[in-house]
Amino acid sequence: MRMGTGRPSTRRACPCGAFIAADNSDSLCHRCRRNARSDVHGPPDVPESFWEHPAMAAAFADRDMGAVISAYRHNPQHVSRVTQDRMAAWLGISQAQLSRYESGENPIERLDKLRHFAHVLRVPIDRLWFDRAVIPSQAGPASAAPPDVLAAPWDATSIARSVEETARSDLAISRRAALTGAAAVTVGSALVEPLQRWLHPLHNLSRWSSASAISEEELAALQRVADGLRGWGGRGGYGLARKAVLGQLDELAERLQRAPAGPTTERAFFIGAELSKVAASMSFDAGLHDAAQRYYVLAVRMAKAGQNDGFAALCLAAMARQMFDLGRADDGLDLVQLGQYGTRRTGTPVLRALLLTREAWAYAQMGRVREFHHAVGMAQDVFAQRETAQEPRFLHSFDEAELEGVIGARCRDLAVHDPKQAIYAEQHITRALALRDPSKVRNRAFDVIGLARTKMVAGDPEAACGLINEVLPTAAKLSSGRVLRKLQDFAKEAAGHRHLKAVQDTTEAIRAIRTA
């Protein structure tokens, strides 16, 4: 009997198990290469019965693209085995990525990836759960962009349809996917000019629909849901709360497309405007500026359809705040002035004061000291004329504490250009903290961080770090993106004093919270 030499075999094996001939430099045996020749550059043509295999049906039922890909690879109707390497090449990803998708370690939630993979595998449209109306590969140019809310017509039906399309598009995208694929916000005239349509009346709605009107009972139920969801707008975070808001928006918009003109329909549009603004605030907090902008625009449009110009102006003010956050002071000022002009005859004292503080915000970023103090003085004078009972509910949060806090924070912005303004910032923020309701935890956190940044500008880094250390436990519990970004701003501003032990310890603590 012949004994082995003990040396390992150098023969190569094909994935099918057969040995590869020595003169074959390919990674497949001749049989597998012959069978794979037709589909080496992409998936083969498959019969309709291919998609009806139980494993495929289960994957579609679970709405799991990773499971769909795995079931596709293992489908017994393939002439030759579809390896992970081959599938990864078809999809344009690595084998490691594919493995994580198939195992469920990395769920596929990003809409453009869902569409791309469905296109590559030629999944029938009627099997798709995420986009039955349009899939780029099969129904036009590839694009994962959400609906263009700025270009949509300004009539009630189009407004409702735009809301529905946007909410459904965003419901299919996870937070991580949205952060990865977020588009740039619209700025300049491309943003401001389309919004000027808000100043004009909507088209006549008298023959809008012959469907049943929204009843008072239905409206009351919608209001209860909106009231429950509105509270999440100021708590930070993203996740399930935002999906709940978008889901409610989707359902409401679908109902509004079939509702006739009338007072309950207008009130339902206003509820939709409130929900859109909550969705925008949540998106803004999560750092999704493009999504936030879309929902702010939709809130303006729905408020217009709801005959509530005051709320539309409030949404324009929120859009302006976003522009300030992005360093677009000119665009922010244009949006504020658009809101001021549209409510010049109807604006209540609190609304006018709020818009004036936003105008002052623009001047603070521009370093225009005289214009800033003029706008602040006017805001204080107008605010003093308020009668709380006459103010709409959506303005009740802009109380004296909020007025002082906003003015103080803007004085701090101005102090970057003129350090003498720091003393005014400290005075206003200190008063805001004294007036602030203890339940307004996030607002108080903004106040303390603003006061700390003021002390940093004033040249007192130890006191600034002391304030930040006081607020860090609260910031860790809030899970608010905006609070974390303000802390990050403080850390950047403290870099000039990083030789100090207090600054080193505080910036390290901020880094730990951000990482967590």
Side-chain angles (χ1 to χ4, degrees):
M1 184 171 67
R2 187 174 180 178
M3 303 296 292
T5 63
R7 291 179 298 177
S9 172
T10 58
R11 298 189 66 184
R12 294 175 297 126
C14 176
C16 71
F19 285 113
I20 299 174
D23 61 349
N24 180 2
S25 61
D26 204 341
S27 60
L28 299 176
C29 68
H30 288 300
R31 178 177 178 275
C32 285
R33 172 54 59 211
R34 183 177 63 253
N35 292 336
R37 192 165 292 134
S38 62
D39 59 330
V40 68
H41 298 299
D45 292 328
V46 296
E48 178 61 30
S49 59
F50 178 94
W51 306 104
E52 297 171 356
H53 187 273
M56 301 267 353
F60 286 125
D62 290 341
R63 299 188 171 192
D64 185 341
M65 182 59 79
V68 168
I69 294 172
S70 179
Y72 183 103
R73 284 202 312 109
H74 294 95
N75 196 302
Q77 294 193 35
H78 285 302
V79 175
S80 60
R81 180 185 174 199
V82 179
T83 65
Q84 280 195 337
D85 283 334
R86 185 184 299 181
M87 175 63 77
W90 290 346
L91 299 178
I93 58 178
S94 69
Q95 183 273 330
Q97 284 178 300
L98 178 62
S99 178
R100 289 193 292 270
Y101 287 152
E102 289 191 352
S103 68
E105 181 182 347
N106 283 1
I108 305 171
E109 297 176 318
R110 183 169 164 176
L111 189 57
D112 58 345
K113 284 190 178 294
L114 289 168
R115 288 171 167 172
H116 171 65
F117 294 160
H119 167 48
V120 170
L121 299 180
R122 304 177 195 172
V123 179
I125 291 178
D126 61 357
R127 305 274 175 173
L128 303 181
W129 62 91
F130 53 86
D131 191 2
R132 294 198 174 192
V134 178
I135 178 167
S137 52
Q138 296 170 323
S143 173
D148 186 350
V149 297
L150 286 165
W154 281 72
D155 62 85
T157 306
S158 297
I159 290 171
R161 185 181 303 114
S162 184
V163 171
E164 181 186 30
E165 291 173 352
T166 303
R168 289 190 178 181
S169 173
D170 286 350
L171 277 168
I173 305 176
S174 69
R175 177 181 184 273
R176 179 175 295 179
L179 283 168
T180 302
V185 296
T186 304
V187 298
S189 60
L191 170 65
V192 178
E193 289 180 5
L195 286 170
Q196 291 175 353
R197 292 287 306 279
W198 167 63
L199 300 174
H200 306 292
L202 293 183
H203 296 304
N204 191 336
L205 306 182
S206 60
R207 298 182 180 180
W208 179 16
S209 174
S210 59
S212 61
I214 296 176
S215 66
E216 289 289 345
E217 293 76 13
E218 190 177 2
L219 190 68
L222 286 169
Q223 188 66 66
R224 284 194 297 272
V225 172
D227 289 343
L229 293 172
R230 189 186 305 109
W232 286 95
R235 301 184 194 181
Y238 190 89
L240 293 177
R242 183 176 183 272
K243 287 188 178 292
V245 174
L246 297 184
Q248 186 62 36
L249 260 179
D250 178 22
E251 292 184 18
L252 176 57
E254 184 178 13
R255 178 69 175 89
L256 284 170
Q257 289 182 67
R258 298 178 284 108
T264 55
T265 297
E266 290 179 358
R267 286 156 60 194
F269 263 110
F270 172 63
I271 293 173
E274 290 186 295
L275 288 171
S276 293
K277 186 174 182 293
V278 172
S281 297
M282 288 178 166
S283 302
F284 185 19
D285 190 83
L288 303 173
H289 282 290
D290 60 320
Q293 187 178 73
R294 286 197 299 276
Y295 287 105
Y296 281 136
V297 171
L298 291 174
V300 172
R301 290 161 60 84
M302 293 196 88
K304 183 65 178 180
Q307 302 295 318
N308 197 314
D309 287 351
F311 192 79
L314 179 67
C315 295
L316 288 168
M319 291 182 71
R321 180 188 64 181
Q322 181 189 23
M323 289 294 103
F324 299 143
D325 195 65
L326 295 172
R328 303 281 307 189
D330 289 337
D331 290 341
L333 183 57
D334 286 341
L335 291 168
V336 170
Q337 291 175 339
L338 184 59
Q340 290 172 320
Y341 183 79
T343 56
R344 62 194 183 282
R345 298 189 181 93
T346 60
T348 64
V350 172
L351 178 62
R352 288 159 56 201
L354 184 150
L355 291 170
L356 282 163
T357 62
R358 294 295 190 270
E359 181 182 346
W361 198 329
Y363 297 142
Q365 285 200 342
M366 296 174 181
R368 293 163 60 175
V369 177
R370 185 178 63 81
E371 291 93 335
F372 171 83
H373 284 292
H374 177 70
V376 165
M378 289 182 63
Q380 292 171 318
D381 291 344
V382 171
F383 189 80
Q385 301 170 18
R386 72 192 185 284
E387 294 182 19
T388 304
Q390 303 300 316
E391 294 290 338
R393 171 179 48 79
F394 57 80
L395 287 172
H396 286 178
S397 62
F398 194 81
D399 53 14
E400 188 175 2
E402 186 65 14
L403 176 69
E404 291 292 332
V406 171
I407 293 175
R410 305 296 65 84
C411 286
R412 192 212 63 81
D413 291 345
L414 191 61
V416 174
H417 304 277
D418 180 5
K420 292 183 294 185
Q421 306 299 319
I423 184 62
Y424 302 117
E426 184 169 346
Q427 291 171 356
H428 285 289
I429 296 175
T430 300
R431 179 163 171 75
L433 281 166
L435 294 169
R436 190 78 76 181
D437 187 330
S439 66
K440 304 290 186 180
V441 178
R442 193 171 72 144
N443 297 83
R444 290 185 65 86
F446 284 134
D447 290 338
V448 174
I449 295 170
L451 186 57
R453 295 175 68 189
T454 299
K455 289 188 176 296
M456 187 63 73
V457 171
D460 192 353
E462 284 86 359
C465 290
L467 288 166
I468 292 297
N469 289 325
E470 288 178 15
V471 83
L472 283 178
T474 301
K477 295 176 183 177
L478 281 173
S479 298
S480 168
R482 286 186 62 214
V483 170
L484 291 177
R485 289 195 292 276
K486 296 299 182 185
L487 287 172
Q488 186 177 6
D489 289 340
F490 173 86
K492 291 177 181 176
E493 292 161 4
H497 302 277
R498 55 178 169 269
H499 60 282
L500 298 176
K501 182 69 163 56
V503 171
Q504 294 170 8
D505 292 343
T506 301
T507 53
E508 183 59 36
I510 292 172
R511 187 180 299 110
I513 289 180
R514 290 184 62 239
T515 303

